[in-house]
Amino acid sequence: MASFVESGWQYLVTHFSDFQLACIGSFVLHESVFFLSGFPFIYLERAGFLSKYKIQTKNNTPAAQGKCITRLLLYHFCVNLPLMMASYPVFRAMGMRSSFPLPSWKEVAAQILFYFIIEDFVFYWGHRILHTKWLYKNVHSVHHEYATPFGLTSEYAHPAEILFLGFATIVGPALTGPHLITLWLWMVLRVLETVEAHCGYHFPWSLSNFLPLYGGADFHDYHHRLLYTKSGNYSSTFVYMDWIFGTDKGYRRLKTLKENSDTKQT
């Protein structure tokens, strides 16, 4: 496996410049992972497959789904791509590299764990600030246009929010100056996590059923169903920040009521 990765990376660094890999390569990888992981949930919703695992009974119209996709493409090409290109000198200055030797898997795993932890901390506070009255009305309400989220709505947001919360994703890598391959893996995992959190389905195989601190779709779906000042569940990946600061009380109360109701029915 290591030799396969090294061979593939050797091909990339031989045929493309560092700038091309860090900017264009990152953008292509992001778009591929994001849309390939998000589109199946549009199909599931339209076809009605696996509906017993759908968290909300309401479905989005094809027009609403189409609007989301169109806006996403506009935001990605007009905001995300220029941002990647503009931030390249910063990441180079912070130590990002694409050359050999490749980092060890222990180094990669440690850095990505750090990124998840610091991203969750920064995202929680940034997201909570976005739910103050003025910022919600003028910025964050765009993301909440979809009270019934599906995978692709994870990145449907006001351009100002993309910049604001995007900082949470890049602050970890900016602090550690990782190898580009670590940055790519982090980006893939973060995209898959946020698409899953917005997918609108809670499956038996969902990670939240196996990882106690992982939020997942059920946790975040609750956030989209309520009005701005009462939603709670502000974290991105884990649940401990909401638990520590008491912003998940409504969600936990609802889960307890549902569990008690299910117990009575059985």
Side-chain angles (χ1 to χ4, degrees):
M1 179 63 180
S3 60
F4 174 78
V5 173
E6 289 178 353
S7 298
W9 198 257
Q10 181 65 57
Y11 176 85
L12 290 176
V13 297
T14 301
H15 291 82
F16 302 97
S17 69
D18 193 63
F19 177 81
Q20 289 173 325
L21 289 175
C23 299
I24 308 303
S26 296
F27 181 75
V28 171
L29 179 63
H30 172 274
E31 297 302 287
S32 301
V33 174
F34 177 69
F35 283 105
L36 287 176
S37 62
F39 272 129
F41 294 107
I42 288 182
Y43 174 74
L44 287 178
E45 192 173 56
R46 290 190 183 186
F49 294 150
L50 302 177
S51 58
K52 66 178 180 179
Y53 300 122
K54 198 169 186 300
I55 299 168
Q56 298 187 46
T57 56
K58 180 183 176 182
N59 289 328
N60 292 283
T61 64
Q65 293 171 337
K67 175 188 174 184
C68 177
I69 295 169
T70 302
R71 291 281 183 89
L72 282 171
L73 290 172
L74 178 65
Y75 293 157
H76 286 183
F77 279 94
C78 296
V79 179
N80 291 14
L81 181 57
L83 183 62
M84 286 182 179
M85 298 175 73
S87 61
Y88 172 74
V90 177
F91 274 92
R92 286 287 295 173
M94 296 299 289
M96 185 192 73
R97 62 183 181 86
S98 60
S99 58
F100 282 93
L102 298 181
S104 68
W105 285 109
K106 289 183 179 180
E107 178 184 342
V108 172
Q111 288 186 336
I112 288 180
L113 177 60
F114 171 70
Y115 300 162
F116 267 115
I117 293 172
I118 196 168
E119 190 276 339
D120 209 59
F121 178 84
V122 175
F123 185 97
Y124 174 86
W125 290 110
H127 192 190
R128 191 167 174 178
I129 290 170
L130 284 171
H131 275 265
T132 54
K133 189 173 183 178
W134 189 91
L135 282 174
Y136 183 89
K137 179 181 178 181
N138 294 280
V139 178
H140 194 50
S141 59
V142 173
H143 181 65
H144 279 268
E145 285 179 19
Y146 293 89
T148 306
F150 54 95
L152 295 182
T153 60
S154 57
E155 295 191 6
Y156 181 88
H158 190 284
E161 180 176 344
I162 295 173
L163 297 175
F164 187 52
L165 290 183
F167 174 75
T169 302
I170 65 172
V171 64
L175 290 173
T176 62
H179 193 281
L180 182 58
I181 201 168
T182 306
L183 189 63
W184 279 5
L185 183 57
W186 159 238
M187 181 174 62
V188 168
L189 293 175
R190 180 70 181 100
V191 167
L192 292 176
E193 181 276 323
T194 192
V195 167
E196 193 272 337
H198 289 80
C199 75
Y201 290 82
H202 183 69
F203 301 111
W205 55 87
S206 295
L207 283 178
S208 56
N209 293 328
F210 307 101
L211 300 178
L213 294 179
Y214 186 82
D218 187 64
F219 184 81
H220 193 69
D221 198 275
Y222 174 86
H223 174 82
H224 273 263
R225 297 200 301 269
L226 300 186
L227 295 175
Y228 70 94
T229 56
K230 301 178 182 179
S231 56
N233 290 20
Y234 300 117
S235 299
S236 59
T237 304
F238 307 115
V239 300
Y240 64 89
M241 289 291 291
D242 282 285
W243 179 78
I244 291 172
F245 294 100
T247 47
D248 63 347
K249 291 180 180 178
Y251 171 71
R252 293 189 179 279
R253 190 179 302 117
L254 182 65
K255 287 203 69 166
T256 300
L257 290 172
K258 187 177 184 304
E259 288 170 0
N260 291 340
S261 175
D262 291 342
T263 302
K264 290 179 180 179
Q265 290 177 4
T266 55

